[in-house]
Amino acid sequence: MNNPMDSAEFSRDPYPLLAALRTRGPVQRVRTDNGRTTWVVTGWTEARAALADPRLSKDTARYFADRPGTRSLAPAVSRTMLATDPPHHGRLRKLAMKAFTPAAVARLEPRIRAIAEELADVLAARGSADLVGEFAEPLPIAVISEMLGLPVADRAAVRRWSHDLFAAGAPDTVDRASHALSDYLTRLIAARRENLGDDVLSGLIAARDDADRLSEAELVSLAVLLVVAGHETTTHLIGNGMLALLRDEALRSRLRADPALLPAAVEEFLRHDGPITLATFRFATEPFGLGGARIGAGDVVLVSPGAANRDPARFAAPDEVSLDRHRRTETTEPTERLPGPGRHLAFGHGPHHCLGAPLARVEARIAFEVLLTRFPDIRPAVDSWDALEWRHTRLMHGLARLPVLLGP
């Protein structure tokens, strides 16, 4: 039986299938194409608990140590910080997080805005555009490239390799891209070591935590993670958010009239149609119960932030976009224990909470402000929403293209 989560329909709109799973219970088994089963977590309460549960390991090297496979992923891709557990994960995170603190990101804001305006200038000269390929992708890739000191001439190739890493149903494509990106960053780090600058990559090369320092393998894998995670998810946050705005003229007008609502809009777009459908691989290190299910030792568990963020037990009218959602009394849980201002799980929860969340929020806020201000008459250039093309990937939900007209 084919896994429905690998289907084109799931890539286009994963929410009906995830909602159907949730009606059977917040934690359900799904059979995969290789005949094995995976637990999928769709309830908000259960997802939040699972994301922080130390009994769910992300150490893929440990999991696959006695499970030989046929894949040929580059170690720098298969063993990033995302695939480690505390305390090792905390050590790597501490060495990298200085570049992504709110204060550090605030210093980047003028440059982020300048890049967004430059991209808008190009679009304005033509009157029509693919908002994904010509704005939502190049903005975050330019920002993370400048932060890491990637040469402008290399960015198109880096963008292509990163894109290929998420190709569903194409393992050979993913494996080739993993080695291409890993080899490129290995060469770049070697060259940068001879000529350190003030970029993040130079900082990681020199980074120390007391007597600790990143090994060469850790340095390359961290660079891979920052390049990929630093733009793929933000691209889809911008693209999906703009689609929501194109579908709602009243919402566009409200945000243009009151830009102070943009941070709330970013949080609601993250909740309503965030970039992460399914979080990355976890497996149980011991048996335990979750949401009425009995998870066995060694079982694979996929947490779905996309489903959790539309859990009707947590959010009223979860399929609707509402900027006023944070004012509703939807829970008796103390607000200081809730995950972020939007109370969503788009950036995860627990020790693996997204390191780049402050940067993604600022990039998205500036992107929406620039597009709405520069193009008040923006509208879709498709006859039907069904004509839109979506990326074919299980983990993320995002548009391949978003054709728009920009003039009156």
Side-chain angles (χ1 to χ4, degrees), residues 337-358:
R337 296 215 301 265
L338 295 173
R343 298 183 290 180
H344 55 72
L345 299 175
F347 289 125
H349 177 60
H352 285 273
H353 182 270
C354 178
L355 186 71

Side-chain angles (χ1 to χ4, degrees), residues 246-364:
L246 289 170
R247 285 173 159 163
D248 191 336
E249 184 176 353
L251 180 59
R252 295 199 305 276
S253 298
R254 186 179 178 191
L255 289 176
R256 276 198 298 267
D258 188 0
L261 291 172
L262 282 166
V266 171
E267 299 305 321
E268 180 62 352
F269 295 149
L270 283 163
R271 183 208 64 82
H272 175 260
D273 195 7
I276 303 298
T277 303
L278 296 168
T280 49
F281 181 97
R282 286 173 167 80
F283 72 96
T285 57
E286 62 182 79
F288 70 100
L290 179 67
R294 188 66 183 172
I295 311 295
D299 285 0
V300 174
V301 177
L302 294 178
V303 179
S304 175
N309 289 337
R310 292 202 187 192
D311 185 350
R314 179 65 190 176
F315 301 101
D319 295 330
E320 298 178 6
V321 175
S322 172
L323 302 189
D324 303 317
R325 188 173 297 280
H326 64 284
R327 297 175 184 171
R328 295 176 178 171
T329 305
E330 295 171 318
T331 177
T332 57
E333 186 173 355
T335 55
E336 65 270 17
R337 296 215 301 265
L338 295 173
R343 298 183 290 180
H344 55 72
L345 299 175
F347 289 125
H349 177 60
H352 285 273
H353 182 270
C354 178
L355 186 71
L359 178 61
R361 284 184 164 109
V362 169
E363 287 178 320

Side-chain angles (χ1 to χ4, degrees), residues 108-121 135 139 143 259 262 362-363 365-371 373-374:
L108 293 172
E109 184 162 341
R111 181 57 187 148
I112 296 171
R113 185 174 296 278
I115 294 170
E117 293 285 1
E118 290 166 7
L119 292 169
D121 287 342
F135 190 93
L139 172 61
V143 172
L262 282 166
V362 169
E363 287 178 320
R365 171 175 56 79
I366 290 173
F368 296 134
E369 181 179 358
V370 168
L371 289 172
T373 302
R374 294 287 299 274

Side-chain angles (χ1 to χ4, degrees), residues 12-321:
R12 187 186 72 81
D13 185 3
Y15 301 107
L17 174 61
L18 293 171
L21 277 177
R22 193 173 50 240
T23 61
R24 291 159 43 190
V27 184
Q28 292 293 317
R29 279 187 185 271
V30 173
R31 186 169 297 278
T32 60
D33 291 341
N34 59 13
R36 298 172 183 169
T37 57
T38 296
W39 293 101
V40 179
V41 184
T42 58
W44 186 93
T45 299
E46 294 75 17
R48 186 168 185 254
L51 290 169
D53 196 319
R55 295 170 296 186
L56 285 174
S57 172
K58 300 202 73 181
D59 188 348
T60 53
R62 174 183 173 186
Y63 180 83
F64 288 107
D66 56 353
R67 296 176 174 87
T70 59
R71 296 295 301 276
S72 180
L73 274 173
V77 173
S78 63
R79 299 174 189 171
T80 68
M81 185 170 65
L82 286 181
T84 60
D85 293 331
H88 183 51
H89 172 267
R91 167 182 162 267
L92 295 175
R93 186 182 180 95
K94 183 177 179 181
L95 288 167
M97 68 185 304
K98 291 179 181 179
F100 298 94
T101 63
V105 171
R107 291 192 291 271
L108 293 172
E109 184 162 341
R111 181 57 187 148
I112 296 171
R113 185 174 296 278
I115 294 170
E117 293 285 1
E118 290 166 7
L119 292 169
D121 287 342
V122 174
L123 302 187
R126 294 209 327 269
S128 65
D130 165 21
L131 273 191
V132 171
E134 297 176 274
F135 190 93
E137 281 186 349
L139 172 61
I141 191 65
V143 172
I144 196 64
S145 293
E146 289 191 4
M147 289 178 67
L148 292 171
L150 304 188
V152 174
D154 298 343
R155 293 176 191 176
V158 169
R159 180 172 160 184
R160 184 177 66 254
W161 295 326
S162 177
H163 186 281
D164 286 349
L165 286 176
F166 294 93
D172 291 344
T173 297
V174 175
D175 291 351
R176 283 194 299 271
S178 75
H179 286 280
L181 183 58
S182 175
D183 292 347
Y184 166 76
L185 288 171
T186 298
R187 294 191 300 270
L188 184 66
I189 288 167
R192 189 64 46 80
R193 187 176 278 112
E194 300 300 318
N195 187 24
L196 293 177
D198 59 358
D199 54 84
V200 171
L201 194 57
S202 295
L204 291 174
I205 291 170
R208 286 183 179 274
D209 179 13
D210 297 326
D212 194 10
R213 157 171 278 175
L214 291 168
S215 69
E216 187 69 13
E218 289 170 341
L219 183 56
V220 175
S221 72
L222 190 52
V224 167
L225 180 61
L226 293 179
V227 166
V228 176
H231 80 278
E232 285 283 349
T233 52
T234 306
T235 290
H236 297 318
L237 168 56
I238 296 170
N240 295 357
M242 282 306 301
L243 178 58
L245 287 168
L246 289 170
R247 285 173 159 163
D248 191 336
E249 184 176 353
L251 180 59
R252 295 199 305 276
S253 298
R254 186 179 178 191
L255 289 176
R256 276 198 298 267
D258 188 0
L261 291 172
L262 282 166
V266 171
E267 299 305 321
E268 180 62 352
F269 295 149
L270 283 163
R271 183 208 64 82
H272 175 260
D273 195 7
I276 303 298
T277 303
L278 296 168
T280 49
F281 181 97
R282 286 173 167 80
F283 72 96
T285 57
E286 62 182 79
F288 70 100
L290 179 67
R294 188 66 183 172
I295 311 295
D299 285 0
V300 174
V301 177
L302 294 178
V303 179
S304 175
N309 289 337
R310 292 202 187 192
D311 185 350
R314 179 65 190 176
F315 301 101
D319 295 330
E320 298 178 6
V321 175

